[in-house]
Amino acid sequence: MNTTETKSSFQDKLDQDLCIEPKDTMPDEYRKHLIRQISQHAHSEVIGMQPEGNWITRAPSLRAKQILLAKIQDEGGHGLYLYSTAETLGISREEMIEQLHTGKAKYSNIFNYPALTWADIGAIGWLVDGAAIVNQVSLQKTSYGPYARAMVRICKEESFHQRQGYEIMTNMMKGTKEQQEMAQDAMNRWWWPSLMMFGPHDSDSPHSGNAFVWKIKRKSNDELRQRFIDKTVQQAETIGLTIPDSDLKWNETKNCYDHGEINWEEFRRVVNGNGPCNKQRMTHHIKVHNEGAWVREAAAAYAKANAK
Amino acid sequence: MTTHNALYKYLLFLGDNGLIQGHRLSELCSNGPILEEDLAMTNLALDHIGRAQAFLKYAGEVEGKGRTEDDLAYKRGEREFYNNLIAELPNGDFACTMARMLIVSSFEYLLFTALCTSKNATIAAIAAKAVKEAKYHFMHSRDWCYRLGKGTEESHRRLQNGFNEFWMFTGELFEMDADFAALANDGIGADLTVLKPQWLTLVQPILADSNIAIPNVDYMQTGSRNGIHTEYLGHILSEMQYLQRAYPDAKW
Ligand SMILES: [Fe+2]
Ligand SMILES: [Fe+2]
């Protein structure tokens, strides 16, 4: 098939808002863009297990421990599911992990922040998963079929994650003075990094151009960020938490909240590897992966011997 | 005849095994050699903690002092725990983890099979659920024993080492004291002495098929029936109980 033909059938599908499927012809750049985005998404799910995993053994009740374990297990499941999604585009999980380790592939910046107290587990579920949902809901309409379907499935679980996080915060705000302070402190530390999860302002977002044309991205960074802020402010107020932004106020004309300036210098610093936990997260992932090599070799050797 | 206190202690034994083993398994989260195994370990941890919750809740009711499952999990000291020592030992490498899981899950499979017919309806109900879980844990670890035992030279060496590490803790699994005997007599608890030969029958062929030699040990460790533990338990508790101890008035 020649290039013009590829382009036209691909473009026809996009124009009609039909999904692109693995066997369809697609431009190389489209494929590359998706591999980058979906593998980054998969890595984020997996690296995100670390900050929350940090509190499993210290969860304050048997119920809390089970909910947290189940939540982290879901995230690992999302990772698996997304690795398979990316594999439909012709890359192996092994290659993706390799790219993560060499720094070629990224993961969400948010997981380079530490989970310092139990309230952080509440804040992560409520704010980080809350932000992820906003993004993932819009991706349910992304043009690549397997990715869109993965998002539908994943979003169902994400809303449970968001609720359990909010429940932790709610309980702490109903609790002792120390618990309330712990909750507010977590809020103060996680609010701004959560806003950064949506990426740079539309005016300086380097990858967006083609992503919109190809209908991979359906809503802009600023639109999604706004949606997150508008739904979250109310939730914070309901339980008595203060949003750490003195410029935050309701804008009657725009019918949404105005917010203060995001610290993009911090964003760039963390993206470029100097966040509080970048090194820790990668070191852990590489160490575990390397330590598991003999297990994978044994499993492969056994499978090979028994396939005969 | 079974005393009230004997039943309470027996429930702590059942609950603490789940709680402490579940704690160790939960440490493996995001430490698996492959993502699939990471998720499997989390599942196992969840099964154990769920079981602990059920037994400890009932233990609190039997004790009759208004203590909840969380009070019992988070506010008892190290001399008041009755889990088998093997549950609290560190995970070690993946082969050690699988060796212990085979030992423990095969024991639990037999124990809960026996407890399914307990005259105590609550114990029988919890056991009915637990026996299914234990069977799955057993099959999972058995399959890994085959893979590791027959995989590579290294995996075989590591698996043998795992069984060597844990074997001296297998005697305790079947220990009976006067209270256990009374409970077994009344059809409430299981007669663990009967389970021992069954357990060997279950485990021996798996070890043989995995090219693993049964370790020679000249002493079996003991102590947990009297609340005497390894040094590891104290560290597990200080981590697990940290928030409850540091903020005694807080509800989470
Ligand atoms: Fe997720
Ligand atoms: Fe999530």
Side-chain angles (χ1 to χ4, degrees):
Chain A
M1 191 175 284
N2 66 41
T3 333
T4 350
E5 248 177 281
T6 307
K7 264 191 190 143
S8 76
S9 76
F10 174 76
Q11 194 57 50
D12 281 353
K13 281 199 148 191
L14 285 187
D15 291 344
Q16 295 172 61
D17 266 332
L18 293 173
C19 280
I20 308 298
E21 295 298 336
K23 290 204 168 99
D24 291 346
T25 49
M26 58 186 93
D28 224 33
E29 288 305 309
Y30 177 80
R31 185 185 296 275
K32 277 191 193 141
H33 186 108
L34 279 169
I35 287 179
R36 185 168 50 78
Q37 179 166 342
I38 300 171
S39 71
Q40 168 165 344
H41 197 160
H43 295 323
S44 302
E45 301 281 358
V46 172
I47 298 293
M49 295 166 77
Q50 289 183 40
E52 293 185 296
N54 182 39
W55 278 92
I56 291 175
T57 56
R58 293 176 290 172
S61 72
L62 296 175
R63 180 174 176 271
K65 184 159 166 151
Q66 289 174 85
I67 291 174
L68 182 59
L69 271 167
K71 196 244 183 212
I72 299 173
Q73 190 185 35
D74 283 350
E75 306 298 9
H78 297 170
L80 262 187
Y81 200 47
L82 286 163
Y83 282 131
S84 320
T85 306
E87 281 176 339
T88 63
L89 292 156
I91 186 171
S92 69
R93 200 202 302 183
E94 201 50 39
E95 286 172 277
M96 288 184 264
I97 291 174
E98 164 94 39
Q99 290 182 351
L100 174 68
H101 290 173
T102 59
K104 191 183 172 211
K106 303 267 182 221
Y107 56 89
S108 175
N109 223 17
I110 193 78
F111 302 120
N112 290 319
Y113 289 85
L116 299 178
T117 71
W118 175 251
D120 289 38
I121 298 306
I124 292 173
W126 173 40
L127 299 174
V128 175
D129 287 69
I133 292 172
V134 171
N135 188 30
Q136 290 172 353
V137 163
S138 88
L139 285 171
Q140 290 178 353
K141 295 218 168 61
T142 193
S143 58
Y144 188 57
Y147 194 28
R149 291 189 288 274
M151 286 304 106
V152 173
R153 189 165 132 176
I154 285 173
C155 279
K156 286 188 190 135
E157 290 177 349
E158 293 297 355
S159 50
F160 150 72
H161 299 168
Q162 204 249 353
R163 273 203 305 280
Q164 64 85 31
Y166 190 59
E167 185 193 288
I168 290 175
M169 294 306 251
T170 307
N171 287 343
M172 291 185 78
M173 289 308 286
K174 280 194 230 157
T176 64
K177 190 163 164 286
E178 281 165 314
Q179 284 178 296
Q180 291 167 7
E181 285 167 3
M182 210 187 272
Q184 183 62 54
D185 170 64
M187 174 86 202
N188 295 348
R189 285 180 291 107
W190 287 93
W191 174 253
W192 291 103
S194 299
L195 296 192
M196 293 177 201
M197 281 174 73
F198 297 96
H201 285 309
D202 300 345
S203 43
D204 32 34
S205 187
H207 297 299
S208 287
N210 277 331
F212 276 111
V213 174
W214 289 328
K215 297 190 177 176
I216 293 174
K217 199 168 166 59
R218 308 307 305 255
K219 292 265 187 301
S220 79
N221 293 353
D222 286 331
E223 272 178 280
L224 294 170
R225 184 166 22 241
Q226 188 66 52
R227 191 171 290 187
F228 170 71
I229 293 170
D230 292 344
K231 76 165 185 166
T232 309
V233 172
Q234 182 82 67
Q235 293 169 350
E237 280 170 0
T238 305
I239 57 175
L241 280 168
T242 308
I243 306 266
D245 177 0
S246 52
D247 294 324
L248 188 89
K249 57 174 180 300
W250 181 252
N251 184 323
E252 278 295 345
T253 4
K254 280 165 44 195
N255 204 32
C256 64
Y257 283 96
D258 289 332
H259 63 86
E261 195 47 49
I262 292 167
N263 184 345
W264 294 113
E265 203 182 296
E266 173 182 325
F267 176 76
R268 276 187 295 274
R269 174 168 61 78
V270 181
V271 170
N272 290 328
N274 291 315
C277 301
N278 300 56
K279 207 170 174 310
Q280 182 187 343
R281 301 288 182 245
M282 281 321 299
T283 304
H284 179 79
H285 197 276
I286 292 170
K287 174 174 166 281
V288 169
H289 187 74
N290 290 344
E291 281 174 2
W294 68 267
V295 179
R296 296 189 297 274
E297 279 159 25
Y302 181 80
K304 198 177 161 199
N306 282 276
K308 282 172 195 160
Chain B
M1 209 197 78
T2 304
T3 64
H4 202 64
N5 195 49
L7 177 59
Y8 170 62
K9 216 182 110 180
Y10 196 64
L11 292 167
L12 291 181
F13 158 74
L14 293 169
D16 291 347
N17 276 326
L19 182 66
I20 301 302
Q21 189 66 78
H23 184 93
R24 280 299 187 212
L25 287 165
S26 77
E27 292 174 348
L28 296 169
C29 192
S30 85
N31 287 296
I34 42 170
L35 193 47
E36 285 82 348
E37 206 49 35
D38 219 305
L39 303 185
M41 291 305 107
T42 314
N43 242 339
L44 262 61
L46 276 168
D47 286 346
H48 281 87
I49 295 161
R51 187 187 303 164
Q53 192 178 28
F55 280 125
L56 292 179
K57 180 171 185 285
Y58 183 39
E61 286 161 23
V62 168
E63 189 199 29
K65 291 181 183 166
R67 290 207 280 180
T68 65
E69 60 269 36
D70 283 337
D71 293 333
L72 290 174
Y74 294 96
K75 288 174 178 165
R76 269 181 300 148
E78 43 271 80
R79 291 281 282 102
E80 302 166 280
F81 272 75
Y82 294 101
N83 59 280
N84 289 317
L85 300 180
I86 195 169
E88 68 208 38
L89 302 175
N91 289 314
D93 67 13
F94 186 73
C96 285
T97 301
M98 287 303 136
R100 171 175 40 199
M101 193 185 295
L102 183 81
I103 291 169
V104 171
S105 64
S106 50
F107 164 71
E108 286 180 339
Y109 174 66
L110 296 169
L111 172 66
F112 290 126
T113 302
L115 290 179
C116 278
T117 56
S118 169
K119 283 183 184 160
N120 180 303
T122 310
I123 292 179
I126 302 170
K129 182 164 181 283
V131 76
K132 289 183 203 134
E133 296 164 355
K135 188 177 177 189
Y136 169 76
H137 305 169
F138 169 71
M139 293 191 307
H140 190 80
S141 51
R142 179 199 59 194
D143 292 350
W144 271 108
C145 283
Y146 293 151
R147 285 186 202 111
L148 299 179
K150 291 179 161 172
T152 64
E153 207 180 308
E154 181 179 9
S155 66
H156 174 263
R157 176 177 52 76
R158 286 176 184 266
L159 186 65
Q160 181 68 60
N161 173 60
F163 280 101
N164 294 349
E165 287 286 308
F166 292 125
W167 204 259
M168 66 155 94
F169 295 92
T170 58
E172 192 193 44
L173 301 176
F174 307 97
E175 273 180 20
M176 298 284 284
D177 63 12
D179 287 339
F180 275 46
L183 284 154
N185 239 334
D186 291 347
I188 295 170
D191 185 350
L192 301 178
T193 51
V194 176
L195 299 191
K196 188 164 190 176
Q198 294 177 12
W199 178 76
L200 279 170
T201 311
L202 193 57
V203 169
Q204 267 167 345
I206 297 170
L207 297 196
D209 284 346
S210 310
N211 297 335
I212 295 297
I214 292 193
N216 256 325
V217 294
D218 34 57
Y219 181 73
M220 287 290 183
Q221 294 295 333
T222 178
S224 73
R225 300 288 183 269
N226 297 312
I228 305 281
H229 288 270
T230 66
E231 287 182 347
Y232 299 114
L233 182 69
H235 291 282
I236 290 178
L237 297 185
S238 56
E239 190 174 343
M240 184 174 81
Q241 298 179 337
Y242 149 67
L243 280 170
Q244 289 267 0
R245 300 277 197 186
Y247 305 94
D249 301 326
K251 286 204 173 54
W252 309 88

